[in-house]
Amino acid sequence: MTSQEIFAEIQRKQSFLCVGLDPVWEKLPRHLHREEDPVYVFNRIIIDHTIDQAVAYKPNLAFYEAMGPGGLETLQKTLDYLPNNVFTIADAKRGDIGNTSGLYARAFFQQMNFDAVTVAPYMGRDSVTPFLEFEGKWVILLALTSNEGSQDFQMLTDEHHHALFERVLEKSKNWGSSENIMFVVGATQVSHLQSVRKIVPDHFLLVPGVGAQGGSLEEVARAGMNKRCGLLVNSSRGIIYASGAEDFGLAAKKEAQQLQISMEKLLNTYC
Amino acid sequence: MTSQEIFAEIQRKQSFLCVGLDPVWEKLPRHLHREEDPVYVFNRIIIDHTIDQAVAYKPNLAFYEAMGPGGLETLQKTLDYLPNNVFTIADAKRGDIGNTSGLYARAFFQQMNFDAVTVAPYMGRDSVTPFLEFEGKWVILLALTSNEGSQDFQMLTDEHHHALFERVLEKSKNWGSSENIMFVVGATQVSHLQSVRKIVPDHFLLVPGVGAQGGSLEEVARAGMNKRCGLLVNSSRGIIYASGAEDFGLAAKKEAQQLQISMEKLLNTYC
């Protein structure tokens, strides 16, 4: 998908919601346990009930790898179930030396057919650029993450008082363009969103951390939105575990609808 | 395995060789193509021919994920084939928010039964510590990698002229101990090995980049060895693709034997 196509879907759905498909066995509604592939059925019902509000879906690979070899088949079935007009993100946080990153890129973009993959920047340029060689595909590079540990290294400053996450933005934006790189900026980092936007005014940002992790949607939109929205805000647990009973699909829909209503207002205010 | 057990194997084999099991289909000897699981047969033959010299084996996950869902079964069979007295490393370079890193840890340590997993430090403490909660298991944290891109961020210096990789070593060594954390330091970074050893004199280092990437074994040993060796030097392509014909096992053995002879000398000189 191009950024224009993503923005068109945002306008059509009046929403910039990304749903994180991160299922764990212990939290699946019990009536699904008798299904042949309970996680796939769970994902399908979540998708059915959120597809009017979500412009993107983001399965985190850890949840599928933890299921053993069959987990990747469940992931592939889930991905194949998603319609073409939603943006699909493999939250994998990969990054390796060049030839190895190239293998990851082929796995996620060609074999599984994801639109985007999250990548960790620590190993630098040649660990990222192999992911940029696929037409219409995206790297979503970790810049400032939503977790407490983001303070350990991402906020370290150099002699010019630039934080590491700013260096990552400055350098990496030249490795590609706003048409094939996005950045992860946590919703818990809202005080730094303005510095992020100074460096990358046009890029899309993937924003986790609204909801369970405590970030505010309103503040994220005020500081982070640009004229083509420029935000994909992710919610995982708040939606997929809105209910642990048979009504989990409807409960997920209700949560997604509430977020969509807030997002529509924010789009009309800031975009 | 404990560090003492690893050192005992190093003394017994007079070698600190780690063999990288990174097979790509295009480079497999052609006669293996008719096997039901060519990569597993390839790995088994490489293991059979290097087990007297190697104290560790390191499959990089990318090579197995690129094979599709069946790839992880091939990896598991390979791992199950390895005897208990070799140290097994999942070269996965993972790292995510706490609960998600915990899932990766369970996948690699409990389900697959690896001894160690490589982890990227960018997301900080809570992305690493979930891997440290498994008795007898190891985190191998990226510090200074062997690739060109290591210059982009790992070498950035703060106002006290400390490079990021030094900050990573300083902070993370307190998250665990020399009994559950090792560090990746590329053989191409030999000029920085002394600064690494000032910060972590006792930890084991996993050293990629000897051979195909151009690092010197002699220089690595001189600057990096400690009184319990403290080094695992990895070779992948130099060993597993020493020959592309039917004699690939014997060719791998010859390469491993040559490295072992050099390593024995270095152990007697510097350890």
Side-chain angles (χ1 to χ4, degrees), chain B residues 5-176:
Chain B
E5 286 166 338
I6 298 168
F7 184 47
E9 286 301 305
I10 290 172
Q11 288 178 302
R12 192 171 71 82
K13 295 184 177 175
Q14 286 291 297
S15 168
F16 43 100
L17 175 63
C18 175
V19 173
L21 294 171
D22 302 343
V24 285
W25 179 263
E26 300 76 29
K27 289 192 179 175
L28 289 189
R30 297 196 62 166
H31 72 286
L32 295 182
H33 287 191
R34 58 176 178 265
E35 299 285 346
E36 197 186 316
D37 187 345
V39 169
Y40 171 59
V41 176
F42 177 80
N43 283 348
R44 221 176 51 200
I45 293 172
I46 292 289
I47 293 165
D48 287 346
H49 286 82
T50 55
I51 194 74
D52 292 339
Q53 289 79 36
V55 294
Y57 286 86
K58 180 178 75 63
N60 186 306
L61 268 284
F63 293 79
Y64 300 87
E65 292 191 4
M67 291 161 62
L72 292 185
E73 287 174 38
T74 299
L75 176 61
Q76 186 65 59
K77 283 195 289 183
T78 301
L79 200 60
D80 294 344
Y81 185 72
L82 285 163
N84 284 333
N85 61 350
V86 294
F87 187 65
T88 54
I89 302 165
D91 194 0
K93 303 187 175 70
R94 298 299 195 265
D96 209 309
I97 61 172
N99 65 331
T100 311
S101 269
L103 283 172
Y104 278 130
R106 266 162 53 189
F108 290 119
F109 292 152
Q110 291 188 330
Q111 289 171 27
M112 310 190 81
N113 202 24
F114 275 101
D115 292 313
V117 59
T118 57
V119 175
Y122 191 74
M123 292 183 68
R125 181 181 182 131
D126 57 344
S127 71
V128 177
T129 50
F131 291 97
L132 294 170
E133 289 165 13
F134 294 77
E135 184 75 24
K137 303 291 186 180
W138 295 77
V139 162
I140 308 182
L141 199 66
L142 303 186
L144 192 51
T145 56
S146 58
N147 63 321
E148 203 184 312
S150 62
Q151 301 299 309
D152 286 325
F153 306 121
Q154 298 165 27
M155 298 299 294
L156 287 179
T157 51
D158 63 15
E159 59 262 62
H160 307 291
H161 306 290
H162 290 253
L164 175 61
F165 80 89
E166 295 174 304
R167 289 298 189 200
V168 167
L169 292 167
E170 285 160 9
K171 282 209 171 184
S172 63
K173 71 176 182 178
N174 300 315
W175 301 341

